């Protein structure tokens, strides 16, 4: 499982950087490398999406065992 988690994490980083490039510069690196709308670029997009789904499981596990506490990060000193 460690290898799969590492691979999916790397794919999510690649996907996040690609979306950052799309948002900031309207440049799709995946499409530039593999061709716009090509089968290979679609495979990369699908793998990034599946990686996101896979990484939801460890996140939910972390919440359930108390490793992540959503309320602990909320600041009570800031008033709007």
């Amino acid at each position: 499982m460690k290898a799969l988690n590492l691979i999916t994490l790397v794919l999510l980083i690649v996907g996040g950087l690609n979306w950052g490039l799309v948002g900031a510069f309207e440049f799709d690196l995946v499409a530039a490398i593999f061709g716009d709308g090509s089968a290979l670029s679609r495979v990369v997009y699908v793998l990034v999406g599946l990686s996101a789904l896979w990484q939801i499981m460890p996140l939910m596990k972390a919440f359930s065992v108390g490793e992540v506490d959503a309320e602990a990060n909320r600041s009570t000193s800031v008033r709007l």
Side-chain angles (χ1 to χ4, degrees), residues 23-34:
F25 306 110
E26 295 182 11
F27 178 71
D28 188 342
L29 182 63
V30 173
I33 292 172
F34 298 114

Side-chain angles (χ1 to χ4, degrees), residues 10-62:
V10 168
L11 281 168
L12 284 175
I13 291 168
V14 168
L17 291 174
N18 191 58
W19 275 113
L21 288 171
V22 169
F25 306 110
E26 295 182 11
F27 178 71
D28 188 342
L29 182 63
V30 173
I33 292 172
F34 298 114
D36 191 21
S38 73
L40 226 51
S41 63
R42 289 195 326 259
V43 167
V44 171
Y45 298 138
V46 168
L47 288 175
V48 169
L50 291 173
S51 296
L53 290 173
W54 181 260
Q55 287 296 324
I56 289 173
M57 290 189 295
L59 179 64
M60 292 299 111
K61 182 179 178 185

